Amino acid sequence: SQIGLLILMGIVVNNGIVLLDHMNQLRNAGMATEEAILQAGRDRMRAILMTASTTIIGLAPLALGGSRVGGLFYYPLAITVMGGLISSAVLTLVALPYVNLVIEYIELWMKRMWEVSGSVRRPVEPAEAVEGLG
């Protein structure tokens, strides 16, 4: 099942990259953030669901059968990947874009706080600068 987790991580990361990259392309083309999230979800849903469903269907015989090779059982690998793909497909399409949105809002907030804190500085008078040197 640990090998299944490694396989699953690769597939899930690829799905996330595909979705976020398309969303960023739409935003760079001038689309509003929320609209880009919805459009990217619509555009990439088919690819993500097809990847997940073909892998799940392909692993079904391995998960249902008591197959073993060289004395090792492989059904835990299949069950791990199948369950992970079902949950990750939903999370990739629903949660990931909004996690990205929250992180961007936090970034914006931090930039504003940085700008506000930098503009509060009091200018140093030349007489004070000379006293500070000596």
Side-chain angles (χ1 to χ4, degrees):
S1 66
Q2 291 176 354
I3 293 171
L5 283 174
L6 289 174
I7 295 168
L8 181 64
M9 283 190 289
I11 296 170
V12 171
V13 167
N14 186 41
N15 287 343
I17 289 171
V18 165
L19 182 67
L20 290 178
D21 183 54
H22 187 59
M23 185 175 68
N24 287 334
Q25 287 176 356
L26 292 173
R27 290 184 60 206
N28 289 338
M31 196 175 283
T33 303
E34 289 81 10
E35 187 180 340
I37 288 173
L38 294 174
Q39 187 63 40
R42 281 187 221 110
D43 292 346
R44 296 297 180 231
M45 179 171 33
R46 181 177 176 200
I48 291 170
L49 292 179
M50 284 179 64
T51 302
S53 62
T54 55
T55 307
I56 290 168
I57 291 168
L59 288 173
L62 186 61
L64 298 175
S67 62
R68 49 183 229 190
V69 176
L72 297 173
F73 289 101
Y74 284 96
Y75 67 89
L77 177 141
I79 292 171
T80 301
V81 173
M82 290 170 70
L85 282 176
I86 291 169
S87 61
S88 72
V90 173
L91 289 174
T92 299
L93 290 169
V94 175
L96 183 64
Y98 290 102
V99 168
N100 184 40
L101 186 65
V102 167
I103 290 172
E104 286 181 5
Y105 283 146
I106 291 171
E107 176 191 14
L108 239 144
W109 177 77
M110 289 179 75
K111 280 183 180 178
R112 288 184 190 147
M113 293 302 290
W114 183 263
E115 290 170 0
V116 168
S117 67
S119 64
V120 179
R121 290 189 184 154
R122 181 177 64 90
V124 177
E125 297 294 326
E128 293 176 17
V130 173
E131 289 174 10
L133 293 175

